[in-house]
Amino acid sequence: MDVCCPPGVTHRPVRVDLVTALKPVCPNAGLPTPLIKDLLLHLTVCQLDELQPALNQRGISTHSGWIGVLQDMCGPNHGLDLHTEEEAKHEVMRSLFTLVFYGFTNNFVKKNIANLNNPSFLWAAAKCIRHFLLTANTHKPLQSLTAEQWPLLNLLEKRITSVSVSQSIDLSNRKTQTGLYILHRLLDHGEAKEVIVHVQCPIMLAWLLHGRGSQYINPELKDLMHSKKASCTSQTASTSADGASCSRGLETHASEDEDDQVTPCKRSKLDSVSVEEGSRKADLTVDPQVLCQTFTPCEGPSAGTCPWGQISCLEIRQCGSDSLRVLNSTLPTFFCLRSLTLHSFSTFRDLDVLGLARGLKQLTDSSRSSLTDLSISVLPYTELVEILLDASPNVTSLYVEIQTLIWGPRFSSHHPTTAGSDMSAELPLEKLTVKVAELQTDLRFITSLLRRSPHLTSLHLAGMRLPSGSSQSHLLTTLSESNHFLRRLNLEDLKLSDCLPEILNLLRNCKLEELLFNDCRLLEKCSDKEESLHQLVAVLKSVSSLHTLGLAQNRLAKNVCVLAELFSGPSPSLVKRLDISSNFIQPADLLKFAEELRTHRPPHRLTLDLRKNPADRDCDTWNNALKRLRPFCVLLVEGWKSTDTMVDHISNM
């Protein structure tokens, strides 16, 4: 049996001659290794998967073959930062499985349809992927998982750890039962504990959360679970266009099911969901336990009480007020929830956030909370961050985006929610991300948060604007004094042009492993930019723990050559990844940098990000520079159009 084929399916690859030639690749026999590596670029996805175990036995990696597929999918100029065979293979399978399974197409799928449109590929891909996307309005592919593709559903049940729902689900439609049953198999019988909801559909969210970690029972859903036919409830009204299908009346019309070919293999054991052949008025059920009895095939396991899964990670990507009310009701007893991510395309209302804080506080007060990761965007102002932290003091990872509204009533610091709160208590935060979009940021907010978080190991700050004449130096000083365990620092879109002394002091007193300055205008006010960069490089070399350095979008331009000194002298830097993208590095300057780097070769193979630099100004010189770098660098490059970057060009004149 082929390794990539499901039971009863014979794999018939198109390039039989190549597979036949590569079949005898046992450790001590077969074609010469260089020839095999050349042939890898000509194999299909299924052929690569089939031959990989034998090739690995011989010590040959299929990495180049998978990268070749990705380049064919994304284009030759797309930067691919995938260093291992399994990373590249997973990216291929992840990208293609959803397209092929649902019958979607792009140029790559059209060109390779003969190799991909077969059960062999779906079986091979299902062994690799960990995430399943449920698209509710594509009924026939989902239906196939309950019929001829039943073995594939069994495999997905064992492999999938994350499930996402991309569209609103109309619980009145009999076709919906197929999607609900598949979700039940993955969430309750399978290994999936992470749920991602892409749409604003409160009743669907209630169905997903019902019985899977919280003891709360949504009253509207309870009516649906115990009724013979689903009926519309007030809660199903959606507040966004994406939830339109939830706001329709939940009355089934026969015309909706004219092309519905779902025929369960056996009749349900419960009269309330019996399905009569030829009837277009089949009773509906949304109860997972009943659905499982309805869809289980004759040769499947005997029907019984199904398990209830637990959701440990929940992400809602279009979280409106209605969805938030459903979630807040479940929080006090959502003991298995470890990670919660809430995103709204518009700014959350402060009353909604305060309701969330109350739910989190009740969960914390139960002493059974597992919640450690909290992510929410977009908050209307910074004061709400500390309210959320006060409500969930066990959180160790916090991600927030803040966009201050310039209209409407402002939150009062004397709100009852904050009464008795200790806003100076130490926090267990280890990872903190704060992204701000406002005209001016009160720096005291973030420095206070940093002082309360002495265990912080990862910090990402973006977009903080200070009043005219103010400096971010106080921020850097606070980091030096209060956050000695910091290992990853990412400062983005912050003006640090007057903070070189504080940056150098921070580097001398820390053990950073990753340092990212993205669009921080590091050299903007330096009278001697080259000398300032020399000072920075000299101190960076002394940070022996540093392995990732990002200086994207800092207008290094011709001064990029100074960075080669990182690897000079008796104690070269151990940096393995260097990001100098978007720095308006001209081809001649890159060539000079390449020559310097050949003189001072990095002790490890260096991943060098050169994307969004003007390669087209002199393609021959640019390609010559890349040729010199490739022997000791993994290069991340992509196409460039100088006409699209005139603003950056003017800024460097």
Side-chain angles (χ1 to χ4, degrees):
M1 183 186 298
D2 273 351
V3 293
C4 68
C5 295
V9 176
T10 302
H11 174 44
R12 290 157 48 182
V14 175
R15 297 188 177 93
V16 178
D17 53 329
L18 288 180
V19 175
T20 302
L22 290 172
K23 277 288 187 181
V25 287
C26 59
N28 299 311
L31 298 174
T33 297
L35 179 57
I36 292 175
K37 290 182 176 180
D38 289 341
L39 291 174
L40 289 177
L41 298 176
H42 303 281
L43 296 179
T44 68
V45 171
C46 256
Q47 290 166 349
L48 278 169
D49 176 75
E50 179 184 354
L51 294 170
Q52 181 174 316
L55 289 169
N56 289 166
Q57 257 192 341
R58 189 171 166 179
I60 300 173
S61 171
T62 58
H63 180 262
S64 62
W66 295 113
I67 290 295
V69 173
L70 285 169
Q71 288 176 335
D72 199 7
M73 291 169 58
C74 307
N77 292 322
H78 185 79
L80 297 172
D81 192 10
L82 302 165
H83 302 303
T84 68
E85 179 183 60
E86 286 307 311
E87 284 178 338
K89 178 179 180 178
H90 179 269
E91 183 62 21
V92 170
M93 297 303 197
R94 182 198 65 79
S95 301
L96 290 178
F97 178 84
T98 300
L99 291 173
V100 175
F101 177 72
Y102 287 112
F104 304 146
T105 59
N106 58 16
N107 290 334
F108 179 85
V109 172
K110 289 178 181 177
K111 186 170 64 174
N112 295 273
I113 192 66
N115 303 319
L116 297 174
N117 191 21
N118 59 73
S120 297
F121 166 74
L122 290 176
W123 186 262
K127 293 190 302 179
C128 297
I129 62 173
R130 295 292 180 269
H131 181 80
F132 183 82
L133 174 67
L134 188 132
T135 303
N137 66 355
T138 51
H139 176 61
K140 289 185 178 179
L142 297 177
Q143 175 192 344
S144 71
L145 291 178
T146 67
E148 70 274 10
Q149 293 272 31
W150 184 266
L152 184 62
L153 178 57
N154 289 334
L155 179 60
L156 291 171
E157 182 183 293
K158 298 174 183 176
R159 306 290 294 180
I160 295 300
T161 60
S162 171
V163 176
S164 62
V165 180
S166 66
Q167 294 173 325
S168 298
I169 295 182
D170 182 359
L171 298 187
S172 72
N173 194 328
R174 186 157 59 93
K175 296 177 183 179
T176 294
Q177 292 179 306
T178 304
L180 296 180
Y181 168 67
I182 290 169
L183 287 172
H184 167 64
R185 285 285 302 274
L186 298 178
L187 293 172
D188 299 325
H189 291 273
E191 300 298 320
K193 297 185 182 301
E194 177 180 346
V195 173
I196 303 169
V197 184
H198 292 262
V199 291
Q200 164 78 333
C201 188
I203 196 66
M204 184 60 203
L205 178 63
W207 186 92
L208 287 166
L209 299 183
H210 179 80
R212 297 183 176 95
S214 175
Q215 298 171 9
Y216 172 77
I217 299 177
N218 182 279
E220 288 81 5
L221 181 63
K222 182 180 179 181
D223 291 340
L224 293 176
M225 297 277 272
H226 296 288
S227 64
K228 290 186 177 182
K229 277 184 179 275
S231 59
C232 184
T233 65
S234 60
Q235 190 176 5
T236 60
S238 173
T239 58
S240 70
D242 295 290
S245 63
C246 291
S247 61
R248 297 202 306 265
L250 297 183
E251 179 178 344
T252 303
H253 299 284
S255 60
E256 293 177 346
D257 293 329
E258 286 182 357
D259 62 341
D260 185 3
Q261 302 299 318
V262 174
T263 304
C265 188
K266 66 176 182 181
R267 294 191 179 190
S268 168
K269 296 183 177 181
L270 300 183
D271 292 337
S272 61
V273 290
S274 62
V275 180
E276 298 180 6
E277 290 185 20
S279 172
R280 290 178 179 176
K281 295 183 179 180
D283 291 335
L284 294 172
T285 179
V286 298
D287 188 336
Q289 309 280 322
V290 178
L291 285 171
C292 200
Q293 296 175 32
T294 304
F295 280 93
T296 302
C298 301
E299 66 274 15
S302 59
T305 303
C306 295
W308 285 99
Q310 290 193 332
I311 296 174
S312 60
C313 299
L314 175 63
E315 181 174 347
I316 307 175
R317 293 188 177 174
Q318 291 188 30
C319 188
S321 295
D322 289 344
S323 292
L324 200 55
R325 278 194 291 271
V326 171
L327 172 65
N328 290 345
S329 299
T330 69
L331 280 176
T333 56
F334 210 155
F335 304 129
C336 62
L337 187 64
R338 180 181 56 81
S339 174
L340 177 62
T341 298
L342 306 174
H343 175 74
S344 173
F345 288 123
S346 59
T347 304
F348 279 110
R349 299 186 310 172
D350 55 357
L351 290 178
D352 289 335
V353 180
L354 293 172
L356 173 65
R358 284 191 292 272
L360 292 171
K361 186 70 165 62
Q362 288 177 281
L363 177 62
T364 300
D365 290 344
S366 70
S367 301
R368 296 174 60 186
S369 173
S370 301
L371 186 67
T372 58
D373 296 2
L374 178 62
S375 175
I376 182 167
S377 57
V378 180
L379 295 177
Y381 33 79
T382 56
E383 290 92 337
L384 291 171
V385 176
E386 291 193 294
I387 290 176
L388 289 171
L389 282 172
D390 181 60
S392 48
N394 297 325
V395 164
T396 58
S397 176
L398 177 67
Y399 175 103
V400 292
E401 292 182 26
I402 302 164
Q403 183 172 336
T404 300
L405 299 174
I406 58 175
W407 61 86
R410 182 77 175 192
F411 166 78
S412 170
S413 60
H414 300 293
H415 194 281
T417 303
T418 65
S421 301
D422 184 0
M423 294 301 182
S424 63
E426 182 177 302
L427 297 169
L429 279 179
E430 297 174 5
K431 295 176 63 178
L432 174 63
T433 297
V434 180
K435 297 184 177 181
V436 184
E438 55 186 358
L439 296 177
Q440 287 188 4
T441 304
D442 184 357
L443 190 58
R444 291 174 297 178
F445 151 72
I446 188 63
T447 54
S448 170
L449 199 54
L450 292 175
R451 283 191 292 268
R452 295 180 61 190
S453 310
H455 306 289
L456 209 61
T457 60
S458 176
L459 175 65
H460 182 182
L461 301 177
M464 293 195 305
R465 300 283 185 272
L466 301 185
S468 178
S470 300
S471 171
Q472 300 281 8
S473 58
H474 187 46
L475 165 67
L476 296 165
T477 300
T478 302
L479 287 173
S480 299
E481 296 174 349
S482 304
N483 305 104
H484 303 293
F485 296 100
L486 204 60
R487 296 294 177 265
R488 185 181 189 275
L489 177 61
N490 184 352
L491 301 181
E492 179 182 358
D493 191 18
L494 270 65
K495 187 176 180 181
L496 302 179
S497 55
D498 60 344
C499 298
L500 183 59
E502 288 77 17
I503 292 174
L504 299 181
N505 182 61
L506 174 63
L507 292 174
R508 292 187 186 103
N509 294 281
C510 70
K511 295 181 180 179
L512 286 176
E513 298 172 1
E514 296 184 38
L515 176 62
L516 307 175
F517 290 128
N518 185 359
D519 191 16
C520 287
R521 304 178 278 287
L522 289 174
L523 307 178
E524 186 177 90
K525 289 188 177 181
C526 298
S527 56
D528 189 337
K529 292 180 171 56
E530 183 176 346
E531 175 56 30
S532 297
L533 195 54
H534 275 295
Q535 295 179 41
L536 179 61
V537 167
V539 177
L540 285 169
K541 285 178 65 175
S542 67
V543 185
S544 59
S545 55
L546 191 67
H547 59 70
T548 298
L549 176 61
L551 298 173
Q553 217 170 335
N554 278 289
R555 302 170 184 171
L556 297 179
K558 63 181 179 180
N559 297 297
V560 67
C561 300
V562 175
L563 294 179
E565 294 182 8
L566 280 168
F567 309 105
S568 65
S571 301
S573 172
L574 299 179
V575 165
K576 297 179 181 179
R577 182 185 180 93
L578 178 60
D579 183 357
I580 49 175
S581 59
S582 293
N583 270 295
F584 207 74
I585 300 170
Q586 300 273 13
D589 296 324
L590 183 66
L591 182 60
K592 185 177 179 182
F593 173 71
E595 294 292 351
E596 292 286 338
L597 212 55
R598 283 211 306 181
T599 303
H600 309 296
R601 288 206 177 194
H604 305 285
R605 190 166 179 80
L606 180 67
T607 297
L608 187 61
D609 194 338
L610 297 171
R611 288 174 285 193
K612 298 182 182 178
N613 282 301
D616 66 342
R617 297 297 176 90
D618 185 346
C619 292
D620 290 340
T621 301
W622 184 268
N623 290 330
N624 195 13
L626 298 183
K627 183 178 179 180
R628 283 165 165 73
L629 290 168
R630 281 197 174 95
F632 49 91
C633 291
V634 176
L635 301 178
L636 303 181
V637 293
E638 62 184 18
W640 165 277
K641 292 183 180 179
S642 295
T643 53
D644 295 339
T645 55
M646 186 55 65
V647 172
D648 199 6
H649 170 65
I650 293 173
S651 70
N652 283 276
M653 293 179 62

